[in-house]
């Protein structure tokens, strides 16, 4: 089977199938990646251990911190105690919650994440209305431009000295260089 065909079947399996964990499988949350296809996970009870990603998922499916997976335990493992058998996405999580198979320890996290998302959505809606009104003011303001802090910031200013000094020197306007606005 070619690599493209294999990838197509793996992605179809992960996105299409709604799997429920068996009695020896458990749902865990990914807390970080150790590299070399090893991931730190935490259970709903708070136990932390390493899991490995099987070869069928490698370079086909990516997981990140905060994702949920179903794992199969490995008996002979000391550090790596399980292997990922299924990756859960939003639709899978909702399905498991409707079936009452979602762990209670993760229910609290889901409700706080939902509240935070709703707050962010509300906050995003109100500034959009204000931005439409203040479009002309923001066009003239340069405060939102990127400032490169790795370079010295020279500000040039034209200053007029007393008329007596300017008549003696013969220069009406002098350009004075200051570093970092001082």
């Amino acid at each position: 089977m070619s690599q493209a065909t294999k990838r197509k079947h793996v992605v179809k399996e992960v996105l299409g199938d709604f799997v429920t964990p068996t009695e020896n499988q458990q749902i865990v949350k990914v807390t970080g990646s150790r590299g070399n296809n090893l991931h730190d996970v935490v259970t709903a009870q708070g136990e932390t251990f390493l899991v490995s990603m099987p070869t069928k998922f490698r370079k086909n499916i990516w997981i990140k911190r905060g994702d949920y997976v179903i794992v199969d335990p490995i008996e002979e493992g000391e550090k790596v105690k399980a292997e990922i058998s299924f990756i859960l996405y939003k639709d899978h999580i909702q399905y498991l919650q409707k079936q009452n198979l979602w762990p209670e320890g993760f229910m609290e996290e889901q409700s706080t994440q939902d509240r935070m998302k709703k707050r962010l959505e509300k906050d995003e809606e109100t500034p959009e209305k204000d931005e439409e009104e203040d479009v002309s003011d923001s066009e003239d303001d340069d405060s939102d431009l990127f400032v490169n802090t790795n370079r010295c910031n020279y500000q040039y200013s034209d200053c007029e000295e007393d008329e007596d000094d300017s008549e003696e020197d013969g220069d009406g306007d002098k350009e004075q260089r200051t570093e970092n606005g001082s």
Side-chain angles (χ1 to χ4, degrees):
M1 187 182 315
S2 71
Q3 182 68 20
T5 306
K6 178 184 170 189
R7 181 178 295 132
K8 179 176 73 172
H9 288 292
V10 169
V11 170
K12 184 179 178 183
E13 176 189 340
V14 168
L15 295 178
D17 295 344
F18 288 99
V19 176
T20 57
T22 61
E23 56 192 46
N24 65 341
Q25 292 179 332
Q26 62 180 350
I27 298 172
V28 295
K29 181 179 180 179
V30 177
T31 57
S33 176
R34 287 280 184 99
N36 208 18
N37 296 306
L38 296 176
H39 299 277
D40 287 320
V41 295
V42 63
T43 62
Q45 293 79 24
E47 181 186 354
T48 304
F49 54 91
L50 285 176
V51 297
S52 66
M53 181 176 281
T55 55
K56 74 174 188 177
F57 291 140
R58 295 177 188 174
K59 296 184 181 178
N60 293 327
I61 304 293
W62 287 269
I63 60 175
K64 61 184 183 302
R65 190 179 321 121
D67 285 349
Y68 294 94
V69 294
I70 296 177
V71 295
D72 289 318
I74 300 174
E75 290 80 20
E76 67 271 358
E78 292 179 21
K79 291 183 181 180
V80 181
K81 295 185 179 180
E83 183 176 50
I84 297 172
S85 63
F86 197 78
I87 300 167
L88 300 173
Y89 291 101
K90 290 180 186 177
D91 299 337
H92 303 113
I93 294 171
Q94 291 172 355
Y95 174 76
L96 290 171
Q97 288 173 344
K98 288 179 184 175
Q99 300 294 322
N100 291 327
L101 296 172
W102 192 251
E104 290 295 322
F106 294 142
M107 284 288 222
E108 297 167 1
E109 290 180 13
Q110 287 293 325
S111 62
T112 56
Q113 288 177 355
D114 291 340
R115 281 188 245 137
M116 291 297 291
K117 286 180 183 178
K118 288 178 183 177
R119 286 182 194 164
L120 289 174
E121 289 173 0
K122 289 179 183 178
D123 292 342
E124 288 176 359
E125 290 174 4
T126 54
E128 289 176 0
K129 295 175 183 175
D130 296 338
E131 287 177 9
E132 292 173 1
E133 296 171 359
D134 298 333
V135 171
S136 61
D137 294 339
S138 64
E139 290 175 358
D140 297 334
D141 188 18
D142 291 338
S143 63
D144 60 341
L145 293 177
F146 172 73
V147 177
N148 187 352
T149 57
N150 295 328
R151 302 223 177 216
C152 293
N153 185 14
Y154 293 110
Q155 293 183 351
Y156 297 98
S157 63
D158 295 331
C159 64
E160 297 181 17
E161 296 182 11
D162 295 336
E163 291 181 16
D164 297 335
D165 294 337
S166 64
E167 290 175 1
E168 295 173 3
D169 293 336
D171 294 333
D173 291 331
K174 285 192 174 181
E175 193 171 299
Q176 186 179 36
R177 185 171 95 173
T178 60
E179 185 174 342
N180 293 334
S182 56

